[in-house]
Amino acid sequence: MAVVVPDVDVLPGWAETHLGTETDSMEELCADERVKKAIFEDIVKVGKAGGLKGFEQVSRLVLLAGPGLSQVTQQG
C-alpha cells in the first residue's frame, strides 16, 4: 500500500483540468475515486517505466488530505 499526500497547490488545478472537478477541497478530492484512480495509474505507469516487477508495484493507494497520518484507518 502507498500513502500519498498530494500537493495542495497542484491537485485542485490538475483535477479541474483533467477530471472536470469543481472543488478545491482536498478532503473531497482525496475521496474522489477518479482522482485516486488517476494517481494510482500514474504511479503504476512510472513503476513499469522504471522496470519494477508486478510484485514490486503499488497494489493499493490511500490519499491523505493533510500531512498527518492520524487520518489513516485500518482497512481490511
Side-chain angles (χ1 to χ4, degrees):
M1 172 173 35
V3 177
V4 176
V5 181
D7 189 325
V8 67
D9 295 327
V10 175
L11 185 61
W14 177 90
E16 181 178 359
T17 300
H18 292 88
L19 303 174
T21 61
E22 297 181 3
T23 182
D24 287 336
S25 166
M26 289 298 288
E27 290 80 12
E28 288 180 31
L29 290 170
C30 287
D32 188 319
E33 290 300 320
R34 298 173 302 155
V35 172
K36 288 181 190 178
K37 181 179 178 190
I39 292 173
F40 178 80
E41 288 174 351
D42 194 46
I43 289 172
V44 170
K45 179 181 173 183
V46 170
K48 284 182 181 179
L52 294 180
K53 298 186 180 4
F55 68 90
E56 297 173 311
Q57 287 280 11
V58 171
S59 60
R60 285 184 29 200
L61 178 70
V62 174
L63 296 181
L64 295 180
L69 294 179
S70 62
Q71 298 175 23
V72 176
T73 60
Q74 289 291 345
Q75 298 178 359

Short mmCIF file of all heavy atoms in Angstrom, two decimals:
data_model
loop_
_atom_site.label_atom_id
_atom_site.label_comp_id
_atom_site.label_asym_id
_atom_site.label_seq_id
_atom_site.Cartn_x
_atom_site.Cartn_y
_atom_site.Cartn_z
N MET A 1 0.85 -1.17 0.00
CA MET A 1 0.00 0.00 0.00
C MET A 1 0.89 1.23 0.00
O MET A 1 1.91 1.26 0.66
CB MET A 1 -0.92 0.01 1.22
CG MET A 1 -1.66 1.31 1.32
SD MET A 1 -2.96 1.49 2.58
CE MET A 1 -2.43 0.61 3.95
N ALA A 2 0.47 2.24 -0.72
CA ALA A 2 1.17 3.51 -0.74
C ALA A 2 0.28 4.57 -0.12
O ALA A 2 -0.92 4.63 -0.39
CB ALA A 2 1.51 3.90 -2.17
N VAL A 3 0.87 5.38 0.74
CA VAL A 3 0.17 6.51 1.33
C VAL A 3 0.71 7.76 0.65
O VAL A 3 1.92 8.01 0.66
CB VAL A 3 0.40 6.59 2.85
CG1 VAL A 3 -0.27 7.82 3.43
CG2 VAL A 3 -0.11 5.32 3.53
N VAL A 4 -0.18 8.54 0.03
CA VAL A 4 0.22 9.71 -0.74
C VAL A 4 -0.49 10.93 -0.18
O VAL A 4 -1.70 10.91 0.06
CB VAL A 4 -0.15 9.53 -2.23
CG1 VAL A 4 0.17 10.77 -3.03
CG2 VAL A 4 0.57 8.32 -2.81
N VAL A 5 0.27 12.00 0.02
CA VAL A 5 -0.28 13.30 0.42
C VAL A 5 -0.08 14.23 -0.77
O VAL A 5 1.02 14.74 -0.99
CB VAL A 5 0.41 13.86 1.68
CG1 VAL A 5 -0.21 15.20 2.07
CG2 VAL A 5 0.32 12.87 2.83
N PRO A 6 -1.13 14.45 -1.58
CA PRO A 6 -0.99 15.29 -2.77
C PRO A 6 -0.69 16.74 -2.40
O PRO A 6 -1.09 17.23 -1.34
CB PRO A 6 -2.36 15.19 -3.45
CG PRO A 6 -3.00 13.98 -2.88
CD PRO A 6 -2.46 13.85 -1.49
N ASP A 7 0.00 17.42 -3.28
CA ASP A 7 0.34 18.83 -3.10
C ASP A 7 -0.92 19.69 -3.19
O ASP A 7 -1.61 19.69 -4.21
CB ASP A 7 1.35 19.25 -4.16
CG ASP A 7 1.95 20.62 -3.93
OD1 ASP A 7 1.23 21.52 -3.43
OD2 ASP A 7 3.13 20.80 -4.25
N VAL A 8 -1.19 20.44 -2.14
CA VAL A 8 -2.39 21.27 -2.07
C VAL A 8 -2.37 22.37 -3.14
O VAL A 8 -3.43 22.85 -3.55
CB VAL A 8 -2.57 21.87 -0.65
CG1 VAL A 8 -1.48 22.88 -0.34
CG2 VAL A 8 -3.94 22.50 -0.48
N ASP A 9 -1.20 22.75 -3.61
CA ASP A 9 -1.09 23.79 -4.64
C ASP A 9 -1.26 23.24 -6.04
O ASP A 9 -1.46 23.99 -6.98
CB ASP A 9 0.26 24.50 -4.53
CG ASP A 9 0.42 25.27 -3.23
OD1 ASP A 9 -0.60 25.79 -2.72
OD2 ASP A 9 1.55 25.36 -2.72
N VAL A 10 -1.18 21.93 -6.19
CA VAL A 10 -1.22 21.31 -7.52
C VAL A 10 -2.51 20.54 -7.78
O VAL A 10 -3.12 20.66 -8.85
CB VAL A 10 0.00 20.37 -7.72
CG1 VAL A 10 -0.09 19.63 -9.04
CG2 VAL A 10 1.29 21.15 -7.62
N LEU A 11 -2.94 19.72 -6.82
CA LEU A 11 -4.06 18.80 -7.05
C LEU A 11 -5.35 19.48 -7.49
O LEU A 11 -5.97 19.02 -8.46
CB LEU A 11 -4.30 17.92 -5.83
CG LEU A 11 -5.38 16.84 -6.02
CD1 LEU A 11 -5.00 15.88 -7.14
CD2 LEU A 11 -5.63 16.10 -4.73
N PRO A 12 -5.81 20.56 -6.85
CA PRO A 12 -7.09 21.13 -7.30
C PRO A 12 -7.09 21.56 -8.76
O PRO A 12 -8.03 21.25 -9.50
CB PRO A 12 -7.29 22.33 -6.36
CG PRO A 12 -6.54 21.95 -5.12
CD PRO A 12 -5.33 21.21 -5.63
N GLY A 13 -6.04 22.22 -9.21
CA GLY A 13 -5.97 22.66 -10.61
C GLY A 13 -5.84 21.49 -11.56
O GLY A 13 -6.46 21.47 -12.63
N TRP A 14 -5.03 20.50 -11.17
CA TRP A 14 -4.87 19.32 -12.00
C TRP A 14 -6.20 18.58 -12.15
O TRP A 14 -6.58 18.18 -13.25
CB TRP A 14 -3.81 18.39 -11.40
CG TRP A 14 -3.65 17.14 -12.17
CD1 TRP A 14 -2.80 16.92 -13.21
CD2 TRP A 14 -4.39 15.92 -12.00
NE1 TRP A 14 -2.95 15.64 -13.69
CE2 TRP A 14 -3.93 15.02 -12.96
CE3 TRP A 14 -5.39 15.53 -11.13
CZ2 TRP A 14 -4.45 13.73 -13.09
CZ3 TRP A 14 -5.91 14.25 -11.25
CH2 TRP A 14 -5.44 13.37 -12.21
N ALA A 15 -6.90 18.40 -11.03
CA ALA A 15 -8.18 17.67 -11.06
C ALA A 15 -9.22 18.41 -11.88
O ALA A 15 -10.01 17.80 -12.59
CB ALA A 15 -8.68 17.44 -9.63
N GLU A 16 -9.22 19.73 -11.79
CA GLU A 16 -10.18 20.50 -12.59
C GLU A 16 -9.87 20.36 -14.08
O GLU A 16 -10.77 20.13 -14.88
CB GLU A 16 -10.13 21.97 -12.19
CG GLU A 16 -11.12 22.82 -12.96
CD GLU A 16 -11.11 24.28 -12.53
OE1 GLU A 16 -10.34 24.66 -11.64
OE2 GLU A 16 -11.89 25.05 -13.12
N THR A 17 -8.60 20.47 -14.45
CA THR A 17 -8.19 20.38 -15.85
C THR A 17 -8.41 18.99 -16.43
O THR A 17 -8.94 18.84 -17.52
CB THR A 17 -6.71 20.77 -16.01
OG1 THR A 17 -6.54 22.10 -15.54
CG2 THR A 17 -6.25 20.66 -17.44
N HIS A 18 -8.01 17.96 -15.69
CA HIS A 18 -8.03 16.60 -16.22
C HIS A 18 -9.32 15.83 -15.95
O HIS A 18 -9.66 14.93 -16.71
CB HIS A 18 -6.84 15.81 -15.67
CG HIS A 18 -5.54 16.29 -16.19
ND1 HIS A 18 -4.83 17.31 -15.58
CD2 HIS A 18 -4.82 15.93 -17.25
CE1 HIS A 18 -3.73 17.53 -16.26
NE2 HIS A 18 -3.69 16.71 -17.28
N LEU A 19 -10.01 16.17 -14.87
CA LEU A 19 -11.20 15.40 -14.49
C LEU A 19 -12.47 16.24 -14.45
O LEU A 19 -13.55 15.71 -14.21
CB LEU A 19 -10.98 14.72 -13.14
CG LEU A 19 -9.76 13.80 -13.05
CD1 LEU A 19 -9.57 13.31 -11.62
CD2 LEU A 19 -9.90 12.63 -14.01
N GLY A 20 -12.34 17.54 -14.60
CA GLY A 20 -13.51 18.41 -14.59
C GLY A 20 -14.12 18.63 -13.21
O GLY A 20 -15.29 18.98 -13.10
N THR A 21 -13.32 18.43 -12.16
CA THR A 21 -13.84 18.65 -10.81
C THR A 21 -14.08 20.13 -10.58
O THR A 21 -13.46 20.99 -11.23
CB THR A 21 -12.88 18.12 -9.73
OG1 THR A 21 -11.65 18.81 -9.85
CG2 THR A 21 -12.67 16.62 -9.87
N GLU A 22 -14.95 20.44 -9.65
CA GLU A 22 -15.28 21.83 -9.36
C GLU A 22 -15.10 22.17 -7.89
O GLU A 22 -15.82 23.01 -7.35
CB GLU A 22 -16.71 22.12 -9.79
CG GLU A 22 -16.93 21.95 -11.29
CD GLU A 22 -18.35 22.26 -11.71
OE1 GLU A 22 -19.17 22.65 -10.88
OE2 GLU A 22 -18.63 22.09 -12.91
N THR A 23 -14.12 21.53 -7.23
CA THR A 23 -13.89 21.79 -5.82
C THR A 23 -12.40 22.00 -5.57
O THR A 23 -11.56 21.44 -6.28
CB THR A 23 -14.40 20.65 -4.93
OG1 THR A 23 -14.19 21.00 -3.56
CG2 THR A 23 -13.70 19.34 -5.23
N ASP A 24 -12.10 22.81 -4.57
CA ASP A 24 -10.72 22.98 -4.12
C ASP A 24 -10.49 22.25 -2.80
O ASP A 24 -9.41 22.31 -2.24
CB ASP A 24 -10.40 24.47 -3.93
CG ASP A 24 -10.25 25.20 -5.26
OD1 ASP A 24 -9.95 24.54 -6.27
OD2 ASP A 24 -10.43 26.43 -5.28
N SER A 25 -11.53 21.56 -2.31
CA SER A 25 -11.43 20.85 -1.04
C SER A 25 -10.54 19.62 -1.19
O SER A 25 -10.86 18.69 -1.93
CB SER A 25 -12.82 20.41 -0.58
OG SER A 25 -12.71 19.47 0.47
N MET A 26 -9.42 19.62 -0.48
CA MET A 26 -8.52 18.48 -0.53
C MET A 26 -9.19 17.22 -0.01
O MET A 26 -8.96 16.13 -0.53
CB MET A 26 -7.24 18.77 0.25
CG MET A 26 -6.34 19.79 -0.41
SD MET A 26 -5.75 19.28 -2.05
CE MET A 26 -4.57 18.01 -1.58
N GLU A 27 -10.05 17.36 1.00
CA GLU A 27 -10.75 16.20 1.53
C GLU A 27 -11.64 15.57 0.46
O GLU A 27 -11.66 14.35 0.30
CB GLU A 27 -11.59 16.57 2.76
CG GLU A 27 -10.77 16.90 3.99
CD GLU A 27 -10.20 18.33 3.99
OE1 GLU A 27 -10.63 19.16 3.14
OE2 GLU A 27 -9.32 18.60 4.81
N GLU A 28 -12.37 16.40 -0.27
CA GLU A 28 -13.24 15.88 -1.33
C GLU A 28 -12.43 15.28 -2.47
O GLU A 28 -12.79 14.23 -3.00
CB GLU A 28 -14.15 16.99 -1.85
CG GLU A 28 -15.24 17.40 -0.88
CD GLU A 28 -16.13 18.50 -1.43
OE1 GLU A 28 -16.32 18.56 -2.68
OE2 GLU A 28 -16.62 19.31 -0.63
N LEU A 29 -11.36 15.95 -2.85
CA LEU A 29 -10.54 15.45 -3.95
C LEU A 29 -9.88 14.12 -3.59
O LEU A 29 -9.82 13.21 -4.41
CB LEU A 29 -9.48 16.48 -4.34
CG LEU A 29 -10.02 17.74 -5.02
CD1 LEU A 29 -8.92 18.78 -5.15
CD2 LEU A 29 -10.62 17.41 -6.38
N CYS A 30 -9.40 14.01 -2.36
CA CYS A 30 -8.75 12.77 -1.93
C CYS A 30 -9.74 11.62 -1.79
O CYS A 30 -9.35 10.46 -1.86
CB CYS A 30 -7.98 12.99 -0.62
SG CYS A 30 -6.48 13.95 -0.85
N ALA A 31 -11.01 11.93 -1.61
CA ALA A 31 -12.04 10.90 -1.52
C ALA A 31 -12.63 10.54 -2.89
O ALA A 31 -13.31 9.53 -3.02
CB ALA A 31 -13.16 11.36 -0.58
N ASP A 32 -12.34 11.34 -3.89
CA ASP A 32 -12.89 11.14 -5.24
C ASP A 32 -12.20 9.94 -5.90
O ASP A 32 -10.99 9.93 -6.09
CB ASP A 32 -12.66 12.41 -6.07
CG ASP A 32 -13.36 12.37 -7.42
OD1 ASP A 32 -13.36 11.31 -8.07
OD2 ASP A 32 -13.90 13.42 -7.82
N GLU A 33 -12.97 8.95 -6.26
CA GLU A 33 -12.42 7.73 -6.85
C GLU A 33 -11.71 8.00 -8.17
O GLU A 33 -10.75 7.31 -8.52
CB GLU A 33 -13.52 6.67 -7.04
CG GLU A 33 -14.02 6.08 -5.73
CD GLU A 33 -12.93 5.39 -4.92
OE1 GLU A 33 -12.07 4.70 -5.52
OE2 GLU A 33 -12.92 5.53 -3.69
N ARG A 34 -12.16 9.00 -8.91
CA ARG A 34 -11.49 9.33 -10.18
C ARG A 34 -10.08 9.85 -9.94
O ARG A 34 -9.15 9.53 -10.67
CB ARG A 34 -12.30 10.36 -10.97
CG ARG A 34 -13.68 9.87 -11.37
CD ARG A 34 -14.50 10.97 -12.00
NE ARG A 34 -14.63 12.07 -11.06
CZ ARG A 34 -14.86 13.33 -11.39
NH1 ARG A 34 -14.99 13.68 -12.66
NH2 ARG A 34 -14.97 14.26 -10.47
N VAL A 35 -9.93 10.66 -8.89
CA VAL A 35 -8.61 11.20 -8.53
C VAL A 35 -7.71 10.05 -8.08
O VAL A 35 -6.55 9.94 -8.51
CB VAL A 35 -8.74 12.27 -7.43
CG1 VAL A 35 -7.37 12.70 -6.92
CG2 VAL A 35 -9.52 13.48 -7.93
N LYS A 36 -8.23 9.19 -7.20
CA LYS A 36 -7.45 8.05 -6.72
C LYS A 36 -6.99 7.18 -7.89
O LYS A 36 -5.84 6.76 -7.96
CB LYS A 36 -8.27 7.19 -5.76
CG LYS A 36 -8.50 7.79 -4.41
CD LYS A 36 -9.30 6.81 -3.56
CE LYS A 36 -9.77 7.43 -2.28
NZ LYS A 36 -10.58 6.50 -1.48
N LYS A 37 -7.91 6.89 -8.81
CA LYS A 37 -7.60 6.04 -9.94
C LYS A 37 -6.52 6.67 -10.82
O LYS A 37 -5.58 5.98 -11.24
CB LYS A 37 -8.86 5.78 -10.78
CG LYS A 37 -8.62 4.87 -11.96
CD LYS A 37 -9.89 4.62 -12.74
CE LYS A 37 -9.56 3.75 -13.94
NZ LYS A 37 -10.65 3.63 -14.87
N ALA A 38 -6.63 7.95 -11.09
CA ALA A 38 -5.65 8.63 -11.95
C ALA A 38 -4.26 8.63 -11.31
O ALA A 38 -3.26 8.37 -11.99
CB ALA A 38 -6.11 10.06 -12.24
N ILE A 39 -4.19 8.91 -10.02
CA ILE A 39 -2.90 8.91 -9.33
C ILE A 39 -2.33 7.50 -9.28
O ILE A 39 -1.14 7.29 -9.53
CB ILE A 39 -3.02 9.54 -7.93
CG1 ILE A 39 -3.33 11.03 -8.06
CG2 ILE A 39 -1.76 9.31 -7.11
CD1 ILE A 39 -3.64 11.74 -6.76
N PHE A 40 -3.17 6.52 -8.96
CA PHE A 40 -2.73 5.12 -8.92
C PHE A 40 -2.17 4.70 -10.28
O PHE A 40 -1.09 4.11 -10.36
CB PHE A 40 -3.89 4.22 -8.51
CG PHE A 40 -3.55 2.77 -8.49
CD1 PHE A 40 -2.86 2.22 -7.41
CD2 PHE A 40 -3.89 1.94 -9.54
CE1 PHE A 40 -2.53 0.88 -7.39
CE2 PHE A 40 -3.56 0.59 -9.53
CZ PHE A 40 -2.88 0.06 -8.44
N GLU A 41 -2.89 4.99 -11.35
CA GLU A 41 -2.46 4.60 -12.69
C GLU A 41 -1.13 5.26 -13.05
O GLU A 41 -0.27 4.64 -13.69
CB GLU A 41 -3.53 4.93 -13.72
CG GLU A 41 -4.73 4.01 -13.64
CD GLU A 41 -5.87 4.40 -14.56
OE1 GLU A 41 -5.81 5.50 -15.17
OE2 GLU A 41 -6.83 3.62 -14.66
N ASP A 42 -0.94 6.51 -12.62
CA ASP A 42 0.31 7.20 -12.90
C ASP A 42 1.47 6.56 -12.14
O ASP A 42 2.57 6.38 -12.69
CB ASP A 42 0.19 8.68 -12.55
CG ASP A 42 1.33 9.49 -13.12
OD1 ASP A 42 1.67 9.31 -14.31
OD2 ASP A 42 1.91 10.31 -12.38
N ILE A 43 1.24 6.19 -10.90
CA ILE A 43 2.28 5.53 -10.10
C ILE A 43 2.67 4.19 -10.75
O ILE A 43 3.85 3.86 -10.85
CB ILE A 43 1.80 5.33 -8.64
CG1 ILE A 43 1.74 6.68 -7.92
CG2 ILE A 43 2.72 4.36 -7.90
CD1 ILE A 43 1.11 6.61 -6.55
N VAL A 44 1.69 3.43 -11.19
CA VAL A 44 1.96 2.14 -11.84
C VAL A 44 2.72 2.37 -13.15
O VAL A 44 3.70 1.65 -13.44
CB VAL A 44 0.66 1.35 -12.07
CG1 VAL A 44 0.90 0.13 -12.96
CG2 VAL A 44 0.06 0.93 -10.74
N LYS A 45 2.32 3.36 -13.92
CA LYS A 45 2.99 3.67 -15.19
C LYS A 45 4.46 4.01 -14.96
O LYS A 45 5.35 3.51 -15.66
CB LYS A 45 2.27 4.83 -15.88
CG LYS A 45 2.87 5.25 -17.18
CD LYS A 45 2.09 6.42 -17.78
CE LYS A 45 2.77 6.97 -19.01
NZ LYS A 45 2.04 8.14 -19.53
N VAL A 46 4.73 4.84 -13.97
CA VAL A 46 6.10 5.23 -13.66
C VAL A 46 6.89 4.01 -13.17
O VAL A 46 8.06 3.82 -13.53
CB VAL A 46 6.13 6.38 -12.61
CG1 VAL A 46 7.54 6.62 -12.10
CG2 VAL A 46 5.56 7.65 -13.22
N GLY A 47 6.25 3.16 -12.37
CA GLY A 47 6.90 1.95 -11.90
C GLY A 47 7.28 1.02 -13.03
O GLY A 47 8.39 0.47 -13.06
N LYS A 48 6.37 0.84 -13.97
CA LYS A 48 6.66 -0.02 -15.14
C LYS A 48 7.80 0.55 -15.95
O LYS A 48 8.69 -0.17 -16.40
CB LYS A 48 5.41 -0.17 -16.01
CG LYS A 48 4.38 -1.12 -15.43
CD LYS A 48 3.19 -1.27 -16.35
CE LYS A 48 2.17 -2.20 -15.74
NZ LYS A 48 0.98 -2.35 -16.59
N ALA A 49 7.76 1.87 -16.17
CA ALA A 49 8.83 2.52 -16.93
C ALA A 49 10.17 2.38 -16.22
O ALA A 49 11.22 2.32 -16.87
CB ALA A 49 8.50 4.00 -17.14
N GLY A 50 10.14 2.28 -14.90
CA GLY A 50 11.35 2.11 -14.12
C GLY A 50 11.78 0.67 -13.98
O GLY A 50 12.78 0.37 -13.31
N GLY A 51 11.02 -0.25 -14.58
CA GLY A 51 11.41 -1.65 -14.57
C GLY A 51 10.94 -2.44 -13.36
O GLY A 51 11.44 -3.54 -13.12
N LEU A 52 10.00 -1.91 -12.60
CA LEU A 52 9.50 -2.67 -11.45
C LEU A 52 8.71 -3.88 -11.91
O LEU A 52 7.95 -3.81 -12.88
CB LEU A 52 8.62 -1.80 -10.56
CG LEU A 52 9.28 -0.63 -9.84
CD1 LEU A 52 8.25 0.12 -9.00
CD2 LEU A 52 10.44 -1.09 -8.98
N LYS A 53 8.87 -4.97 -11.21
CA LYS A 53 8.09 -6.17 -11.49
C LYS A 53 6.73 -6.04 -10.81
O LYS A 53 6.53 -5.19 -9.95
CB LYS A 53 8.85 -7.39 -10.98
CG LYS A 53 10.18 -7.58 -11.67
CD LYS A 53 10.84 -8.84 -11.26
CE LYS A 53 12.17 -9.12 -11.89
NZ LYS A 53 12.79 -8.23 -12.75
N GLY A 54 5.79 -6.89 -11.19
CA GLY A 54 4.43 -6.82 -10.66
C GLY A 54 4.37 -6.82 -9.15
O GLY A 54 3.63 -6.04 -8.55
N PHE A 55 5.16 -7.67 -8.51
CA PHE A 55 5.11 -7.74 -7.05
C PHE A 55 5.76 -6.53 -6.38
O PHE A 55 5.60 -6.32 -5.19
CB PHE A 55 5.74 -9.05 -6.55
CG PHE A 55 7.23 -9.14 -6.77
CD1 PHE A 55 8.10 -8.69 -5.79
CD2 PHE A 55 7.74 -9.69 -7.93
CE1 PHE A 55 9.47 -8.78 -5.98
CE2 PHE A 55 9.10 -9.78 -8.14
CZ PHE A 55 9.98 -9.32 -7.15
N GLU A 56 6.51 -5.75 -7.14
CA GLU A 56 7.14 -4.54 -6.60
C GLU A 56 6.24 -3.31 -6.75
O GLU A 56 6.51 -2.28 -6.17
CB GLU A 56 8.46 -4.28 -7.32
CG GLU A 56 9.49 -5.36 -7.11
CD GLU A 56 10.73 -5.18 -7.96
OE1 GLU A 56 10.59 -4.96 -9.19
OE2 GLU A 56 11.83 -5.25 -7.40
N GLN A 57 5.19 -3.44 -7.54
CA GLN A 57 4.29 -2.32 -7.82
C GLN A 57 3.34 -2.06 -6.65
O GLN A 57 3.03 -2.95 -5.87
CB GLN A 57 3.45 -2.61 -9.07
CG GLN A 57 4.20 -2.53 -10.35
CD GLN A 57 4.41 -1.11 -10.86
OE1 GLN A 57 4.16 -0.13 -10.16
NE2 GLN A 57 4.86 -0.99 -12.08
N VAL A 58 2.86 -0.85 -6.60
CA VAL A 58 1.84 -0.47 -5.62
C VAL A 58 0.56 -1.22 -5.96
O VAL A 58 0.16 -1.28 -7.13
CB VAL A 58 1.60 1.06 -5.67
CG1 VAL A 58 0.40 1.45 -4.85
CG2 VAL A 58 2.84 1.81 -5.23
N SER A 59 -0.07 -1.80 -4.94
CA SER A 59 -1.31 -2.53 -5.20
C SER A 59 -2.52 -1.81 -4.63
O SER A 59 -3.64 -2.05 -5.05
CB SER A 59 -1.23 -3.94 -4.61
OG SER A 59 -1.02 -3.88 -3.22
N ARG A 60 -2.29 -0.94 -3.66
CA ARG A 60 -3.37 -0.13 -3.07
C ARG A 60 -2.84 1.26 -2.81
O ARG A 60 -1.65 1.45 -2.59
CB ARG A 60 -3.85 -0.73 -1.75
CG ARG A 60 -4.69 -1.95 -1.93
CD ARG A 60 -5.27 -2.51 -0.65
NE ARG A 60 -5.50 -1.52 0.38
CZ ARG A 60 -5.63 -1.80 1.66
NH1 ARG A 60 -5.57 -3.05 2.06
NH2 ARG A 60 -5.85 -0.87 2.55
N LEU A 61 -3.77 2.22 -2.80
CA LEU A 61 -3.39 3.61 -2.63
C LEU A 61 -4.33 4.28 -1.64
O LEU A 61 -5.54 4.10 -1.72
CB LEU A 61 -3.47 4.33 -3.98
CG LEU A 61 -3.16 5.81 -4.01
CD1 LEU A 61 -1.67 6.04 -3.77
CD2 LEU A 61 -3.56 6.41 -5.34
N VAL A 62 -3.75 5.05 -0.73
CA VAL A 62 -4.53 5.86 0.20
C VAL A 62 -4.09 7.30 0.00
O VAL A 62 -2.89 7.59 0.04
CB VAL A 62 -4.29 5.44 1.67
CG1 VAL A 62 -4.99 6.38 2.62
CG2 VAL A 62 -4.74 4.01 1.89
N LEU A 63 -5.04 8.18 -0.25
CA LEU A 63 -4.73 9.60 -0.37
C LEU A 63 -5.11 10.30 0.92
O LEU A 63 -6.21 10.11 1.43
CB LEU A 63 -5.51 10.24 -1.53
CG LEU A 63 -5.20 9.75 -2.93
CD1 LEU A 63 -6.04 10.52 -3.95
CD2 LEU A 63 -3.73 9.88 -3.26
N LEU A 64 -4.20 11.11 1.43
CA LEU A 64 -4.47 11.91 2.63
C LEU A 64 -4.55 13.37 2.25
O LEU A 64 -3.75 13.86 1.46
CB LEU A 64 -3.36 11.72 3.67
CG LEU A 64 -3.19 10.34 4.27
CD1 LEU A 64 -2.05 10.35 5.28
CD2 LEU A 64 -4.47 9.89 4.93
N ALA A 65 -5.50 14.06 2.84
CA ALA A 65 -5.70 15.47 2.54
C ALA A 65 -4.73 16.37 3.28
O ALA A 65 -4.61 17.53 2.96
CB ALA A 65 -7.13 15.87 2.87
N GLY A 66 -4.06 15.84 4.27
CA GLY A 66 -3.14 16.66 5.04
C GLY A 66 -1.91 15.88 5.43
O GLY A 66 -1.80 14.70 5.14
N PRO A 67 -0.99 16.53 6.09
CA PRO A 67 0.28 15.88 6.41
C PRO A 67 0.20 14.86 7.54
O PRO A 67 1.13 14.10 7.73
CB PRO A 67 1.17 17.05 6.82
CG PRO A 67 0.24 18.08 7.33
CD PRO A 67 -1.01 17.91 6.51
N GLY A 68 -0.89 14.82 8.29
CA GLY A 68 -0.97 13.91 9.43
C GLY A 68 -1.39 12.51 9.05
O GLY A 68 -2.35 12.31 8.32
N LEU A 69 -0.67 11.52 9.52
CA LEU A 69 -1.03 10.13 9.23
C LEU A 69 -2.12 9.62 10.16
O LEU A 69 -2.56 8.50 10.04
CB LEU A 69 0.21 9.23 9.33
CG LEU A 69 1.28 9.50 8.29
CD1 LEU A 69 2.47 8.56 8.52
CD2 LEU A 69 0.74 9.31 6.90
N SER A 70 -2.57 10.46 11.10
CA SER A 70 -3.62 10.03 12.02
C SER A 70 -4.93 9.79 11.30
O SER A 70 -5.84 9.18 11.84
CB SER A 70 -3.81 11.07 13.12
OG SER A 70 -4.23 12.29 12.55
N GLN A 71 -5.05 10.25 10.05
CA GLN A 71 -6.29 10.08 9.29
C GLN A 71 -6.41 8.68 8.69
O GLN A 71 -7.46 8.29 8.23
CB GLN A 71 -6.36 11.11 8.16
CG GLN A 71 -6.39 12.52 8.65
CD GLN A 71 -6.35 13.50 7.49
OE1 GLN A 71 -6.71 13.16 6.38
NE2 GLN A 71 -5.92 14.71 7.75
N VAL A 72 -5.33 7.93 8.68
CA VAL A 72 -5.35 6.59 8.09
C VAL A 72 -6.06 5.65 9.06
O VAL A 72 -5.77 5.62 10.24
CB VAL A 72 -3.91 6.07 7.84
CG1 VAL A 72 -3.95 4.64 7.33
CG2 VAL A 72 -3.20 6.97 6.86
N THR A 73 -6.99 4.90 8.52
CA THR A 73 -7.71 3.92 9.35
C THR A 73 -7.37 2.53 8.86
O THR A 73 -7.00 2.34 7.69
CB THR A 73 -9.22 4.14 9.28
OG1 THR A 73 -9.64 4.01 7.92
CG2 THR A 73 -9.62 5.49 9.82
N GLN A 74 -7.52 1.56 9.71
CA GLN A 74 -7.28 0.18 9.30
C GLN A 74 -8.36 -0.25 8.33
O GLN A 74 -9.54 -0.07 8.58
CB GLN A 74 -7.30 -0.74 10.54
CG GLN A 74 -6.13 -0.58 11.44
CD GLN A 74 -4.84 -1.09 10.80
OE1 GLN A 74 -4.87 -1.81 9.82
NE2 GLN A 74 -3.72 -0.71 11.38
N GLN A 75 -7.95 -0.78 7.21
CA GLN A 75 -8.89 -1.27 6.22
C GLN A 75 -8.54 -2.71 5.90
O GLN A 75 -7.38 -3.03 5.71
CB GLN A 75 -8.82 -0.42 4.95
CG GLN A 75 -9.21 1.02 5.20
CD GLN A 75 -9.07 1.86 3.93
OE1 GLN A 75 -8.68 1.37 2.89
NE2 GLN A 75 -9.40 3.13 4.04
N GLY A 76 -9.56 -3.56 5.83
CA GLY A 76 -9.30 -4.98 5.61
C GLY A 76 -9.27 -5.38 4.21
O GLY A 76 -9.46 -4.97 3.24
#
